[in-house]
Amino acid sequence: MPRRIDHVAIIVRNLEQALIFYRDTLGLEPRAIQDVPSEQVRIAFLPMGGPQGSEIELIEPTTPDSSLSRFLEKRGEGMHHLCLEVDDIDAALQEMNEREVAVLDTQPRLAAEGRAIFLHPKATHGVLLELIEKRPQATRRVER
Amino acid sequence: MPRRIDHVAIIVRNLEQALIFYRDTLGLEPRAIQDVPSEQVRIAFLPMGGPQGSEIELIEPTTPDSSLSRFLEKRGEGMHHLCLEVDDIDAALQEMNEREVAVLDTQPRLAAEGRAIFLHPKATHGVLLELIEKRPQATRRVER
């Protein structure tokens, strides 16, 4: 069902510090660095592999009381979640529910680049797994 | 320098159990399931996104005394490392050394599908980061 890996999210204490490694040392060019106050984070997207490629997403929590902040305090910096692109998030959610997979969302949430659901790590062998339907598809759906 | 995300490795207790979710529920078709006694693991590769796409690699430690086993006991199941493809692993190793990045290998190690080095999580903001030069390039190098 998933068509590709969309991104791997890495949680970091300080985005600028992390970019010193990922951009300056490794040579990955950010396509966007965004402040997202509604989610209490700053994000940098580092694309690789062309239009069909996958990205590294660096996430810095900007407040001390978000769930991401608590994750960072508890686990330290590192990989936080894995995101796979699907064609139809509503169908994916329905299928996960039918198969009794633990989903953290009762309906798709609005993500930066589409609509998404998160699967609980207990259902995925330890991975916080995001499934996303990217915006072009979401827009097309609205037009039907 | 990295051209694409090659794979995301997920460490699991039991490969067959993990495939019940990743293959049967999520619908990802393994292209290979390999027993690798030399590394004390069983591995399943789950490709997505076509020839330029990235894979999920499921890893089950098969002995109790490998470093992967100890990781599993300590941290539980979940994402273990992230692998990026590079064109020239020798050049990458040299550059990482020149920039004083902590590398776990003094020379590239033979991986299942090429030659690779691992960067220490302390250099990468918490990510065990593999850089790999895939076999076709490795073969071409030998022919020079």
Side-chain angles (χ1 to χ4, degrees):
Chain A
M1 184 198 335
R3 53 158 70 211
R4 52 185 276 281
I5 292 179
D6 187 72
H7 65 264
V8 179
I10 298 170
I11 191 165
V12 299
R13 292 194 187 282
N14 182 297
L15 199 57
E16 299 312 321
Q17 285 293 321
L19 285 170
I20 290 176
F21 174 75
Y22 284 95
R23 178 190 57 206
D24 304 340
T25 298
L26 216 49
L28 299 174
E29 201 54 48
R31 70 169 167 85
I33 299 179
Q34 299 172 352
D35 208 336
V36 190
S38 62
E39 297 186 22
Q40 307 171 56
V41 293
R42 293 181 68 225
I43 298 178
F45 289 102
L46 307 169
M48 278 165 277
Q52 285 303 305
S54 308
E55 300 188 311
I56 287 176
E57 178 183 359
L58 299 174
I59 305 178
E60 175 198 332
T62 51
T63 66
D65 56 353
S66 67
S67 65
L68 282 165
S69 272
R70 289 189 292 273
F71 179 97
L72 183 59
E73 285 316 307
K74 192 173 162 192
R75 304 278 306 238
E77 296 184 313
M79 288 190 280
H80 177 263
H81 68 265
L82 173 63
C83 179
L84 309 182
E85 184 186 357
V86 298
D87 288 331
D88 184 334
I89 195 65
D90 299 294
L93 175 57
Q94 185 178 342
E95 184 156 356
M96 292 302 117
N97 284 335
E98 283 171 5
R99 290 173 179 266
E100 299 185 342
V101 171
V103 183
L104 295 175
D105 305 278
T106 52
Q107 54 180 317
R109 66 178 77 184
L110 233 51
E113 310 207 311
R115 297 190 310 135
I117 60 174
F118 281 83
L119 309 188
H120 194 288
K122 73 183 177 188
T124 64
H125 296 264
V127 179
L128 180 58
L129 195 64
E130 180 182 9
L131 301 179
I132 191 170
E133 176 186 320
K134 306 273 285 200
R135 180 138 308 130
Q137 285 84 5
T139 307
R140 215 168 49 232
R141 289 193 68 261
V142 171
E143 293 171 353
R144 271 177 210 157
Chain B
M1 184 198 335
R3 53 158 70 210
R4 52 185 277 280
I5 294 179
D6 187 72
H7 65 264
V8 179
I10 299 170
I11 191 165
V12 300
R13 292 194 187 281
N14 181 296
L15 199 56
E16 299 311 321
Q17 285 293 319
L19 285 170
I20 290 176
F21 173 73
Y22 285 94
R23 179 192 57 207
D24 303 341
T25 299
L26 216 50
L28 300 174
E29 201 52 49
R31 70 169 167 84
I33 299 178
Q34 299 171 352
D35 207 335
V36 190
S38 62
E39 297 185 21
Q40 306 170 58
V41 293
R42 293 180 68 223
I43 298 176
F45 290 102
L46 305 169
M48 276 164 280
Q52 287 302 306
S54 307
E55 301 188 311
I56 288 177
E57 179 184 358
L58 300 174
I59 305 178
E60 174 198 332
T62 50
T63 65
D65 56 353
S66 67
S67 65
L68 283 164
S69 272
R70 287 189 293 273
F71 179 98
L72 182 59
E73 285 318 306
K74 193 174 162 192
R75 306 276 307 236
E77 295 185 313
M79 287 190 282
H80 177 262
H81 69 266
L82 173 62
C83 178
L84 308 181
E85 185 186 356
V86 298
D87 287 330
D88 185 333
I89 194 66
D90 299 293
L93 175 58
Q94 185 179 340
E95 185 157 356
M96 292 302 117
N97 284 334
E98 283 170 6
R99 289 173 179 267
E100 299 184 345
V101 171
V103 182
L104 295 175
D105 304 278
T106 52
Q107 55 179 317
R109 67 177 78 181
L110 232 51
E113 310 205 311
R115 295 190 310 134
I117 60 175
F118 281 83
L119 310 187
H120 193 289
K122 73 183 177 189
T124 64
H125 296 263
V127 180
L128 179 59
L129 194 64
E130 179 181 9
L131 302 179
I132 191 169
E133 177 187 319
K134 306 273 285 203
R135 180 134 312 130
Q137 284 84 7
T139 307
R140 213 168 51 232
R141 288 193 69 260
V142 172
E143 292 170 351
R144 271 177 208 156

